[in-house]
């Protein structure tokens, strides 16, 4: 029986830079960091509902490329915030690469507002916010889910 989401692993080119971004700017918490026998670095960052495992190969890594349309794979990482607008403004001020400015979510049944940016290696990051009120968008649109 499934208990929870544990972690997702990804490769970064520079461990310090990745930790600065994910912990310093996004607010994840460093859980574990160590150097492996082959010289690569590994860290687990606590995102509050699962972990982000980052591996920095000893020889570095090339910049990420976006997943081509129609290709299976991970498209982006999404982190939930109280306010997309406030978080986006802070990240923009810090010079983070912007992909898409804050807007209402297409999937209003799940999220209220989203924005997209890139981490230091070009990986797409989605900032997400849920509705703060108890309003059910399906009921308010006249759709009954029951």
């Amino acid at each position: 029986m499934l208990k929870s989401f544990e972690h997702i692993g990804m490769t970064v080119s520079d461990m310090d830079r990745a930790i600065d971004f994910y912990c310093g700017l996004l607010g994840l918490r460093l859980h574990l960091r160590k150097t492996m026998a082959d010289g690569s670095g590994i860290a687990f960052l606590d995102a509050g509902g699962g972990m982000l495992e980052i591996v920095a190969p000893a020889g570095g890594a090339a910049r990420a490329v976006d997943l081509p349309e129609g290709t299976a794979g991970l498209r982006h990482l999404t982190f939930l915030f109280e306010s997309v607008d406030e978080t986006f403004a802070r990240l923009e001020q810090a010079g983070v690469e912007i992909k898409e400015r804050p807007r209402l979510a297409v999937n209003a049944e799940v999220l209220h507002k989203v924005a997209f940016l890139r981490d230091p290696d070009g990986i797409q990051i989605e900032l997400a916010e849920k509705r703060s009120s108890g309003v059910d968008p399906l009921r308010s649109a006249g759709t009954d889910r029951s």
Side-chain angles (χ1 to χ4, degrees):
M1 174 187 259
L2 179 67
K3 291 175 74 174
S4 70
F5 179 82
E6 169 53 34
H7 74 271
I8 188 165
M10 66 185 213
T11 301
V12 300
S13 63
D14 182 289
M15 182 64 72
D16 290 331
R17 187 174 69 170
I19 289 173
D20 286 347
F21 176 81
Y22 286 99
C23 294
L25 291 175
L26 291 186
L28 281 73
R29 292 173 307 283
L30 180 61
H31 179 74
L32 171 72
R33 179 181 180 172
K34 63 183 184 177
T35 302
M36 305 303 286
D38 66 359
S40 63
I42 186 169
F44 283 84
L45 311 179
D46 187 344
M51 299 249 198
L52 178 61
E53 173 190 10
I54 54 176
V55 175
R63 183 172 170 86
V65 294
D66 289 348
L67 194 63
E69 197 69 30
T71 302
L74 299 176
R75 298 170 47 130
H76 57 265
L77 296 175
T78 304
F79 296 97
L80 189 63
F81 292 91
E82 285 188 30
S83 170
V84 164
D85 290 325
E86 288 175 17
T87 304
F88 181 88
R90 184 174 48 76
L91 294 170
E92 185 175 39
Q93 181 73 26
V96 172
E97 182 182 345
I98 304 303
K99 183 167 180 359
E100 188 176 339
R101 302 187 77 74
R103 63 169 171 76
L104 294 177
V106 173
N107 299 307
E109 304 87 355
V110 178
L111 299 170
H112 172 61
K113 190 176 272 191
V114 297
F116 291 85
L117 49 91
R118 294 189 185 275
D119 82 353
D121 287 303
I123 296 168
Q124 288 190 62
I125 304 297
E126 179 180 17
L127 310 177
E129 165 185 329
K130 291 191 175 187
R131 258 179 220 288
S132 57
S133 70
V135 175
D136 180 340
L138 292 177
R139 289 202 186 278
S140 63
T143 305
D144 189 338
R145 295 188 297 181
S146 49

